Amino acid sequence: MDIKPHTLPWQDAYKLMIGSILPRPIAFVSTLDEEGRANLAPFSFFTAISAEPMLVCFSPMRKGKDGSKKDTLTNIEATNEFVINIVSEEFVEEMNNCAIEFDHGIDEFEQTGLTKKESISVKPPAVAESKVQLECTLHQVLHFGDEPGAGSLVIGKVECVRIDDELYYDGKIDTQKLKPVGRLAGQSYTKPLADSFELIRKR
């Protein structure tokens, strides 16, 4: 079967993307608006870019109803700061509840019972329950349309990586203790360590 994306409604093109690009890590992004109110939302279009400088990126799509920007993007453009909190199994339910489209100005920390943790290098609070937090300043943001289904690419420079002591050894993170969660299609998630294997890269 061959499908031309431009012939589909954006909702159907989206389903093809999330059904084929998986599993996807989750960027659980905390921000502050210009009035200092916290916002917390998950995004599964998320990856690393480079180590020097340390850059990461995630993509918030426009709202499906009217194409307006999500609060996360609006806040980052206003303040140039955000924190990416890595999602572990222990608080996946609370993360999912942050995907609810609350009214602007509502604090998702308060709505879900997650704990604010003061950041070191940026103003937005981190999620205390997260075992790895990437404190970021905005490096660049690119916009690709303003209609429903369009998106933006937010590139952040990591100013500080905060890791629970029990996870960190020999300069590395213990993935078994991190227990990361990934996103699949529809309502499905995955525990990527459930059936992992190693492949040695040939030289």
Side-chain angles (χ1 to χ4, degrees), residues 124-139:
V127 175
E129 288 79 4
S130 174
K131 298 174 183 177
V132 179
Q133 302 126 32
L134 310 176
E135 298 182 0
C136 300
T137 54
L138 179 61
H139 178 76

Side-chain angles (χ1 to χ4, degrees), residues 30-120:
S30 48
T31 58
L32 292 175
D33 67 14
E34 290 183 291
E35 297 181 31
R37 296 174 298 191
N39 181 270
L40 187 56
F43 300 89
S44 69
F45 290 5
F46 163 48
T47 194
I49 298 176
S50 63
E52 182 54 48
M54 186 181 282
L55 298 177
V56 294
C57 65
F58 75 98
S59 180
M61 290 180 62
R62 296 292 183 122
K63 292 182 181 181
K65 294 179 182 178
D66 58 8
S68 61
K69 295 179 181 179
K70 294 181 178 178
D71 288 345
T72 297
L73 178 57
T74 300
N75 292 350
I76 291 173
E77 290 186 304
T79 67
N80 296 314
E81 294 183 334
F82 58 99
V83 180
I84 295 179
N85 305 275
I86 302 302
V87 179
S88 297
E89 293 177 26
E90 291 85 349
F91 63 96
V92 68
E93 287 285 349
E94 290 85 349
M95 177 278 299
N96 186 50
N97 291 337
C98 287
I100 297 171
E101 197 167 304
F102 293 105
D103 291 337
H104 177 72
I106 297 296
D107 187 329
E108 284 84 359
F109 282 94
E110 296 176 359
Q111 296 295 315
T112 61
L114 289 168
T115 310
K116 291 177 183 174
K117 174 181 175 181
E118 186 175 358
S119 298
I120 292 176

